[in-house]
């Protein structure tokens, strides 16, 4: 069933992302003239893309428009060509746009579609006529879903996918800072314990992949236990008592010997 007139992009994907970056560079209170000047794209084309950009939550406003937070993040990721970040931001746009979610669902239900059939389905579902401009916009929608990692080519068709989370290196970063304090304490992730006359702040950031989650709890518990186990004080050496012989007083001098010598 077709949606009641969802506005498709007017431009190809490459031109559309230039318009998005133009809005991000202008910031707030952006006019068609401002964006056209920065992007070298005709004002009419910028204007024709605005309905889609508003519907997708990338820009907002009336005659003067402003980039939204998610639109700004997407634009910066595009500017720096950070593909993982671009995919994540496009997925956020799709998650917030019911029409785009339905396109992915349609591909999933059919277990794949060829690209031309999918573009025709996008145009029909949007309630748009069959024109070259609509075909271009439908192609841009398909490219957005591919850039988001929600569609991929397989065996000549496009199939719906479930993107994997971003891979995070298995590293543990620790930052330590030591300073004097009257009431000294030791803290590990907002937990504290007494530690003499030194205030020891320890921040532990754990980065891991999903496969590590099963054993992560026991590893963190071991880390916390190692921090909380205070070293046992060394046993004091016993003070040795003097032996009876060393404590016995010296004998008095022999008076008879002294008299004979005299």
């Amino acid at each position: 069933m077709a949606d009641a007139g969802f506005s498709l992009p007017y431009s190809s994907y490459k031109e559309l992302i230039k318009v998005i970056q133009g809005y991000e560079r202008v910031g707030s209170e952006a006019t068609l003239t401002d964006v056209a000047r920065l992007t070298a794209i005709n004002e009419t084309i910028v204007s024709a893309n605005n309905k889609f950009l508003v519907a997708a939550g990338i820009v907002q406003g009336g005659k003067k428009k402003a980039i939204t937070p998610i639109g700004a993040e997407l634009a910066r990721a595009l500017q720096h060509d950070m593909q993982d970040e671009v995919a994540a931001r496009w997925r956020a746009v799709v998650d917030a746009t019911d029409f785009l979610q339905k396109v992915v669902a349609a591909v999933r239900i059919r277990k794949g579609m060829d690209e031309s059939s999918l573009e025709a389905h996008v145009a029909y579902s949007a309630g748009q006529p069959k024109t070259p401009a609509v075909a271009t916009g439908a192609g841009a929608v398909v490219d957005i879903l591919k850039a988001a990692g929600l569609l991929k080519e397989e065996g000549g068709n496009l199939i719906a996918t479930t993107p994997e989370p971003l891979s995070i290196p298995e590293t543990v970063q620790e930052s330590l800072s030591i300073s004097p304090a009257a009431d000294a304490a030791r803290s590990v992730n907002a937990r504290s314990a007494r530690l003499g006359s030194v205030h020891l702040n320890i921040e532990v950031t754990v980065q891991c992949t999903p496969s590590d989650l099963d054993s992560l709890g026991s590893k963190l518990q071991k880390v916390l236990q190692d921090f909380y186990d205070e070293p046992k004080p060394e046993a004091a050496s016993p003070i040795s008592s003097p032996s009876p012989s060393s404590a016995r007083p010296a004998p008095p001098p022999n008076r008879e010997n002294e008299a004979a010598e005299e």
Side-chain angles (χ1 to χ4, degrees), residues 117-141:
S117 296
L118 179 55
E119 289 175 1
H121 173 79
V122 169
Y124 170 77
S125 299
Q128 300 295 335
K130 187 176 180 179
T131 65
V134 170
T136 299
V141 168

Side-chain angles (χ1 to χ4, degrees), residues 194-231:
R194 293 290 177 184
L195 188 67
S197 59
V198 174
H199 189 64
L200 177 62
N201 292 325
I202 302 176
E203 297 178 359
V204 180
T205 302
V206 179
Q207 298 181 339
C208 64
T209 60
S211 60
D212 298 320
L213 294 178
D214 291 340
S215 60
L216 184 59
S218 59
K219 291 179 180 178
L220 289 177
Q221 188 175 12
K222 178 64 169 59
V223 171
L224 290 173
Q225 186 62 41
D226 290 344
F227 279 124
Y228 276 101
D229 284 344
E230 297 185 6

Side-chain angles (χ1 to χ4, degrees), residues 68-147:
T68 62
I70 187 60
E73 291 176 5
L74 172 61
R76 286 192 291 270
L78 289 165
Q79 288 166 9
H80 294 284
D81 196 26
M82 300 178 66
Q83 295 304 313
D84 289 340
E85 296 298 325
V86 169
R89 299 305 176 268
W90 272 128
R91 286 197 295 274
V93 170
V94 173
D95 289 343
T97 309
D98 185 62
F99 177 81
L100 298 178
Q101 291 182 46
K102 289 180 179 179
V103 174
V104 178
V107 177
R108 194 183 303 280
I109 291 170
R110 292 167 174 78
K111 301 186 184 304
M113 298 176 68
D114 66 83
E115 191 156 343
S116 61
S117 296
L118 179 55
E119 289 175 1
H121 173 79
V122 169
Y124 170 77
S125 299
Q128 300 295 335
K130 187 176 180 179
T131 65
V134 170
T136 299
V141 168
V142 173
D143 287 338
I144 286 170
L145 298 178
K146 290 195 290 186

Side-chain angles (χ1 to χ4, degrees), residues 17-194:
I17 63 176
K18 290 180 181 179
V19 174
I20 295 171
Q21 292 174 40
Y23 273 111
E24 193 276 333
R25 290 174 62 187
V26 175
S28 61
E29 300 294 312
T31 65
L32 294 175
T33 303
D34 295 332
V35 178
R37 186 185 302 115
L38 283 173
T39 60
I41 295 173
N42 188 277
E43 290 184 26
T44 303
I45 296 176
V46 174
S47 176
N49 283 293
N50 278 345
K51 287 185 178 180
F52 169 77
L53 295 177
V54 171
I58 296 172
V59 300
Q60 61 188 359
K63 188 174 181 180
K64 292 184 177 181
K65 291 179 171 55
I67 194 85
T68 62
I70 187 60
E73 291 176 5
L74 172 61
R76 286 192 291 270
L78 289 165
Q79 288 166 9
H80 294 284
D81 196 26
M82 300 178 66
Q83 295 304 313
D84 289 340
E85 296 298 325
V86 169
R89 299 305 176 268
W90 272 128
R91 286 197 295 274
V93 170
V94 173
D95 289 343
T97 309
D98 185 62
F99 177 81
L100 298 178
Q101 291 182 46
K102 289 180 179 179
V103 174
V104 178
V107 177
R108 194 183 303 280
I109 291 170
R110 292 167 174 78
K111 301 186 184 304
M113 298 176 68
D114 66 83
E115 191 156 343
S116 61
S117 296
L118 179 55
E119 289 175 1
H121 173 79
V122 169
Y124 170 77
S125 299
Q128 300 295 335
K130 187 176 180 179
T131 65
V134 170
T136 299
V141 168
V142 173
D143 287 338
I144 286 170
L145 298 178
K146 290 195 290 186
L150 297 172
L151 297 179
K152 73 174 183 179
E153 295 182 15
E154 186 175 286
N157 285 339
L158 292 172
I159 63 170
T161 64
T162 302
E164 292 290 334
L166 295 180
S167 178
I168 303 175
E170 298 180 12
T171 58
V172 176
Q173 302 174 349
E174 299 183 8
S175 60
L176 306 177
S177 63
I178 302 176
S179 61
D183 298 323
R186 174 175 60 186
S187 65
V188 180
N189 289 344
R191 299 178 65 182
S192 61
R194 293 290 177 184

